[in-house]
Amino acid sequence: MATAPTPSTAELAHMIEVMAKALVDSPEQVSVKEVAGENTTVIELRVAKSDIGKIIGKQGNTAKAIRTILLGAATKIKRRTVLEIVE
């Protein structure tokens, strides 16, 4: 039985970018930066000021959902990954 290829942290960052662009009104202003540390990779997500609320969601539910998806994908590559939403 063939196994699925393991995603890299760059693919995780791309996944976050695709999700963010689908949620916001100004997808051209979405930028994702990957900062690799020794044990942890930080994915910084920047969106237009007017779209911050759409990414965070009511009571942070949208941001929490994005982080949960990221956690599941990062677990597969055995790498601790954190999402930071930067203004």
Side-chain angles (χ1 to χ4, degrees):
M1 188 196 273
T3 58
T6 306
S8 67
T9 53
E11 290 172 313
L12 297 180
H14 178 70
M15 176 185 70
I16 296 298
E17 182 178 1
V18 170
M19 285 192 291
K21 284 183 176 182
L23 291 170
V24 299
D25 290 332
S26 303
E28 67 281 350
Q29 291 190 24
V30 171
S31 73
V32 176
K33 182 178 164 191
E34 182 185 348
V35 181
E38 200 171 306
N39 299 320
T40 305
T41 299
V42 177
I43 296 177
E44 294 180 351
L45 172 62
R46 292 182 192 275
V47 296
K49 273 201 185 291
S50 59
D51 288 328
I52 289 282
K54 287 183 172 67
I55 291 293
I56 294 173
K58 288 186 180 174
Q59 297 179 350
N61 287 334
T62 305
K64 194 181 301 180
I66 294 171
R67 286 185 173 114
T68 301
I69 293 168
L70 179 62
L71 176 66
T75 300
K76 191 165 186 126
I77 62 170
K78 297 177 176 76
R79 181 92 176 141
R80 188 173 189 289
T81 308
V82 177
L83 175 67
E84 284 189 8
I85 301 168
V86 186
E87 286 188 45

